[in-house]
Structures are given as C-alpha cells and as structure tokens.
Amino acid sequence: MKFTDGYWQNLPGVDILRPRAVDEVVVGERGLTAYAGVRRLETRGDSLNHPLVTITLDSPAEGVLGVTIEHHQGGVERGPAFAVADARPDVVVTGPTADDPRAALTTGNLTARVATTGEWALDVEVDGRVVTGATSRGVGIVTDADGRQFVREQLALGVRDHVYGLGERFTAFVKNGQAVDVWNADGGTSSEQAYKNVPFYLTDAGYGVFVDHPGHVSFEVGSEVVSRTQFSVEGQRMRYYVIAGPDPKDVLRRYTALTGRPARVPDWSYGLWLSTSFTTDYDEQTVTSFVDGMAERGLPLSVFHFDCFWMRRFHWSDFVWDPATFPDPEGMLARLHERGLRVCVWINPYIAQRSHLFAEGRERGYLVTRADGSVWQWDLWQAGMALVDFTNPDAVAWYQGELRALLDMGVDCFKTDFGERIPTDVVWHDGSDPERMHNYYTHLYNKAVFDLLTEVRGEGEAVLFARSATAGGQQFPVHWGGDCESTFVSMAESLRGGLSLASSGFGFWSHDIGGFEGTPDAAVFKRWLAFGMLSSHSRLHGSGSYRVPWAFDEESVKVTQRFTELKLSLMPYLSAVGREAHTDGLPAMRPMVLEFPDDPGAATVDTQYLLGSSVLVAPVFSAEGDVDVYVPEGEWTSLLDGSRVRGPRWHRQRHGFDSLPVLVRPGTVLPVGARTDRPDYDHAEGVTLRLFGLADGHESVTRVARPSGREAVFRVTRSGDRVRAEATGDVPGAWAVAHGLGAPVAASGAVLEVPAT
C-alpha cells in the first residue's frame, strides 16, 4: 500500500511513526529486543506522551532471521496463522563491544546487526556480506486518512538485485518496479490478480523474505522507494523472516523447511491427462470415443478427467453423477481402469442451494454464516451457493465423507477448483479473522481433500489438480495455472506464472495445453503441446471446445505422440526431479536464475526454464517457429537432434512444430527409460545413461528408483579418454551407456568402459 507522496512527504491524512531514537536493546539468550522512540530522547520528560516501536529479533531455523515489529501489544491474535516450523537452532546473541557499538544475532551463515543508540538500523549479512537492511525511515507504524493502522517495513535493494516470486503472478517475472497485493482472486492469467498469492519473495542477492501474515499483504518492489522493497499489513504487529542463501536454491530449501515441502507424487501423474473440457457436450459415449481415439492413434494416455458437468447443472457441488449422461458411473470407471487409466473428477468447495447438501449443511452448521446467523450466499458461479466452513472439524469430516464415496466408486484424484472468492463479511466457526481467512481458506480446502486422498490411497499416491493456494499450499500438489486464453501471448504469460510460483516454493505446476478460453488455432495448439509435455504435469483441457489432438489437424496427432513419448522416456530423470522437490523443496520447473544465480544473462530470462537441473526448455511462441534461447556457459547439446550450441550468449533458431530447443547441460549423465507407453514402469529396467559433455575428471552418481522402493545406482567417472560406469544397488538384468553412436549393454553389477570424445 502506498503511504508517501514522493520521497519527502506523506500522502494527505497519513501519519507515520518511525523508530528515530533507540532507547535500549535488551539482549537475551535466544534473541534481542529493541525499544525505540519516535522522537529524540534528550531529557526524562521526552518519554512522556511518546510512542515506542518495539522490534524483536530471533531465529526459528538455522540461517533464518525472525523480525517482529510492534506498536501496541495488547490486541487479540485471531487465527488463522501459517504453520511455521520452529527448530530452535543454535544462535549467538551479543551486545555492543568496544569495536562494534551494535548488538548482533547470528544463526547459521546469517548475522543481523542492530543499532543500540541513535536511529534504528538493521544490517543483514550472509556469509559476512551485507545483503539487505532497514533504517528508521523504512520501519513505520502508519495511520491512514481513514484511521486504519498498518505496520510497514522497507528492506534495501542493491544496484543489480532482482526480486522474484510472490506467488503465481502473470506479470513480468522480475518484480522490480511492481506493486503487488497478496490477495487471492479469480482474475484469469491476463491480469495483475493471482489465484495463488504467497507473501514470500526470492532474490538473487543471497536472501529471501517471508511475511508471516495469511491475510492481505501489500508489496511495493522498488516502486514506492526505488531502492527498497516495501511490505505492509494492517494492524499493530508484523512478523517477517529474512532467509539466507547464499544461492536462491539454498533460500528455497530453508523456506520450504519452514512452511512445508511438496508431498511425493505418483509416477502415473506425470503422464498425459485428457479432459472432457468445461462447457462442451459430453457423456460416456463421448468419453469412450476420446479414449478409443487416443489408443487408435498410438497416443499414450494416463489420466482421464471429468470436468464440472459430470454433476447436474445448478447442483454443484453435490457429488452425484448426472444420471442422464452417466447412468452407470461405477461401470464406466471400472471400464476406464481396465484400460490402464486413472480418473480425476472436478470439485469445488461451494454448495449450491439446489444441492441436497445445502439443507443438510445449513441444518448442521457446516456452512459459513453472516453475523446474524444466516448462511452467506450469492449467485455468482452457482445459484444461491454457500461455502463449506473448513474451520469446523465436523464440516471437514462431512465434506470428506462425500468425497470418500467417490473414491470407493473408483475415482482416483480430484481437481480442486476455485477457493479464491472468499468474503470478509462473515463469521467463521472457530472465530477466525475474516480478513486473514480470505487467502487461507484455500489451504484448508486443499488440505482436507489431500488428507483424505493420503488416507485412502496412501502416501505417494495422493495428487490434486489445484487452482488456488497460499504459503504452505505447496504441500498439496499439483497446481495448475488457471484460465488462460488460447494465444501465444497467453502461453507466455502462463509460463511467467509458473516461474513465479516455482520461485515461491511450489514444486509441481501445470497449465491448460492450448489455452482454456477460446479455441486455439492449430499452430498455437502444437507449440503449446511441446511446452505442456515438457512441464512437470501435462493436461489437455479447454472451456467450450474439445482438446483431442485430431480436432486440430493430423500433424497435431504426430506432435502429441512425439512429445508424450519423449516425456515418458525421461521418467527415470523426471521421477528423480520430483523426489528432489519432495526432499529439498526445489521445483521441477526452474527459472534460469535458480540454477545460474551468478550469470547476469540469466537473471531476467522468463521465456524458458530448466526441467530439473540439467534440461533447458525454450517454448516456441510463434507459428513460424522463431525462438530466442539464452544458453549459459559451456557447450549444450540438443536432446532432439544432437546439435550443439555454446554459451554464454543468446541464439536465434527456427523450429518446426515437432521441435523446440531442448538442451542438455554439459556434464550431465541423463538416464533415459526403455518405455514410451506409460510413465509408471520400472525405470531402471533397460535404462540408458546418455552422457553429455563429461569433462576429464568428471565424477557423478545417478540414482534410478525402482517399484520395489530401492534404487539402481550408477557411478560415472571420466579419466583421460575413457568413461567408466559402475552399477550398484538394485540393478536390473541389463543397462546401457549411450555414447556417440554406440549403446553397449552390460550385465547387472558390471563395470562398463566406453571411449570419451
């Protein structure tokens, strides 16, 4: 929120109390607290009629600094609150010394130093280097012209510092110069609004910042003050964390350790998902024709998704199959399973008035109410719809019970749509603050569904297709990008959203191949296919038209087959990338800056990404096939045709619809699977290790998971003109090392040597 008129003046009616005089810094065993007056303190009398700003520093985890800024401390803290882990790390807290008049707190490789006299000042060091800081001019207790009170902070930005993240945002990937409101909204992908707002930003300057407030947070990133990132919340208190790097990946590891890491996703979820689309006409015959059409054309399919109209219109959500279009749902689901498919169905957290669950929920007190006790309702989306109150444990169990019946019927997973338009003029069962619940509602919604799936299907088998989220929502994968248009421009904005979400701690992300609104022309569809199949998760879905490839042209069928089979062959690699998201909190689709933080050329790139750490993907955003791809240092190899390009520099290329830049990083041992018909196979059986640019002295370990839960482990080294590959662990009967034109085969447990080029 903007509070100032230029640099020198406040906006009319705005008053800002700033910590201009540190009265005392109290050093404790695990933290320190500074008390600062808002005017100079020269005599005893100056303490009268004089507000204090209280600033406390502590550490919930190694390398993480907690900062709490308070005015009045007597308020009632109403929920909800983010679940932030407190590991109680070892910290060192010191007072001023003869050499340094500041107090300091050190946690891991982060040290915070604060002024003990004069005006308030904070410096944050990572590995001995100051990466950011705050001054008395930035900290503020603000009263606006309407009498509302806020707490504000401003952290310094350096000359070449870039800011990323703040959730899934479709604006420019680099957030410098933007004003961002963290407030969930159903705004599509073509606006500054976002479905997934996360009050966390990542920088390439050695740190990240997480504002621990689930409600409305305003960020002005180098916009209100161009040399600072400002953030503010309404109320008398604000807590935030500065999270140390030094690399962006280190920041994400620490951030996701605080707020939760993505669950493991099943291998089958990486395959191609096909949807009925939204408002199209479909019944079981339509579904069968789609599944048959994919099989007849040799297009591997893993999941079939039923969108909204699997239920009767005006009844969403009652979780009852429309008998006119699906008279035998149990039989239909069984027939789909017999064909090796998983089934997903659309749901949302709203209960339409015509649903039989409305009266039941109203009677039992499971629906959100207004202050007078009436059920909150409106007609947007569904006539007379109400909201399930997920702060009520009984309502959660009731909602889960309805979904459990679908799981028992044969449904495998759920698309958890909506959850953004949450009112603030309501009363929650547990007394939560409505403003804080607006963003947090989606967390409770997705958690309720994901918990049920985990209980019924087991850990590692639960998966969602979720649209809305906030901080911590990464624990419940997968998320998709929402309602995009069927254009190249929207394809690019979707990618920017995915890169921003990846910079916000989310491990898995998808989007509607071809776009959601409108019908793409064949060129858009084919280009989007290549992008979609090289995303962590891949879904064909639209609004008013089908997305089966043959609806566009025959070449679309061939492009679908090519890139679906390519993705399935990469499952030994992709499955390992997914495990890294689960164990370390690193996203499957990575912005260039995440892997190359010291390369200035990578800092602002938002038209390409790395799939895992080793495969660079540059989608083509034109019918003609022209694409600019930034290649970091070294010689990179095309996975598709073996051609090589060298960086660091931009390359302009032209690609047909069956191609795009897919470049393998030098020094990579890429495990490639033996099957291209499904994602959930034994990835180690017949695996080929493809070697790319291994330098003399190279040594690496590649792990390939097996269905048993054990791993085949391959240690690859290069010495001079020979490459040696040694297999240990649960190694299958045969494996190969592809090098040049040869693919030698060795028995399990053998050592293989091949020439190096």
Side-chain angles (χ1 to χ4, degrees), residues 123-126 129-133 156-158 161 205-207 242:
D123 287 327
V124 179
E125 302 172 3
V126 174
R129 179 176 65 90
V130 175
V131 296
T132 191
L157 283 172
D161 296 356
Y207 71 98
V242 181

Side-chain angles (χ1 to χ4, degrees), residues 188-242:
T189 69
S190 300
S191 76
E192 64 182 7
Q193 296 179 354
Y195 304 103
K196 308 171 190 67
N197 286 267
V198 180
F200 165 79
Y201 66 83
L202 180 69
T203 77
D204 56 0
Y207 71 98
V209 174
F210 172 45
V211 180
D212 189 2
H213 183 84
H216 186 198
V217 186
S218 293
F219 288 87
E220 285 72 40
V221 185
S223 53
E224 180 150 12
V225 180
V226 296
S227 60
R228 302 175 194 162
T229 298
Q230 173 177 292
F231 43 92
S232 58
V233 302
E234 188 170 359
Q236 300 278 337
R237 178 182 186 273
M238 177 170 67
R239 180 166 173 80
Y240 69 90
Y241 302 95
V242 181

Side-chain angles (χ1 to χ4, degrees), residues 166-167 169 181-185 194-199 439 469-471:
L166 297 174
R169 317 212 76 84
D181 284 313
V182 170
W183 190 250
N184 283 2
Y195 304 103
K196 308 171 190 67
N197 286 267
V198 180
N439 290 341
T470 188

Side-chain angles (χ1 to χ4, degrees), residues 420-536:
E420 304 94 359
R421 294 176 177 175
I422 306 304
T424 56
D425 58 339
V426 293
V427 176
W428 295 93
H429 173 81
D430 70 348
S432 284
D433 182 331
E435 186 266 346
R436 295 169 70 95
M437 269 300 298
H438 173 85
N439 290 341
Y440 199 74
Y441 181 85
T442 178
H443 190 81
L444 298 180
Y445 163 41
N446 284 313
K447 183 179 187 302
V449 181
F450 198 86
D451 285 351
L452 174 67
L453 285 166
T454 302
E455 175 194 335
V456 176
R457 298 287 183 241
E459 290 189 6
E461 283 294 312
V463 66
L464 303 178
F465 225 83
R467 189 173 79 173
S468 57
T470 188
Q474 67 269 7
Q475 298 171 85
F476 319 124
V478 168
H479 294 81
W480 103 96
D483 299 346
C484 48
E485 295 180 341
S486 299
T487 65
F488 284 119
V489 170
S490 196
M491 181 178 161
E493 74 198 17
S494 293
L495 175 55
R496 293 196 298 271
L499 296 179
S500 289
L501 193 66
S503 304
S504 306
F506 284 68
F508 304 97
W509 178 79
S510 187
H511 44 96
D512 293 339
I513 294 174
F516 177 73
E517 295 289 352
T519 299
D521 61 32
V524 169
F525 183 71
K526 285 178 284 196
R527 297 297 186 194
W528 210 317
L529 267 169
F531 168 36
M533 295 313 304
L534 289 169
S535 299
S536 86

Side-chain angles (χ1 to χ4, degrees), residues 102 182 299 311 315 362 382 424 494 561 619 697 706 747:
R102 298 172 294 176
V182 170
L299 305 179
M311 291 179 279
H315 287 258
R362 178 182 58 185
Q382 288 290 282
T424 56
S494 293
Q561 183 178 43
R706 305 203 66 189

Side-chain angles (χ1 to χ4, degrees), residues 26-57:
V26 178
V27 176
E29 181 179 348
R30 299 197 55 79
L32 57 86
T33 301
Y35 300 92
V38 300
R39 298 186 300 273
R40 296 180 65 182
L41 296 167
E42 297 179 342
T43 69
R44 287 182 173 181
D46 290 337
S47 65
L48 302 177
N49 305 309
H50 190 136
L52 279 180
V53 179
T54 303
I55 305 174
T56 302
L57 273 57

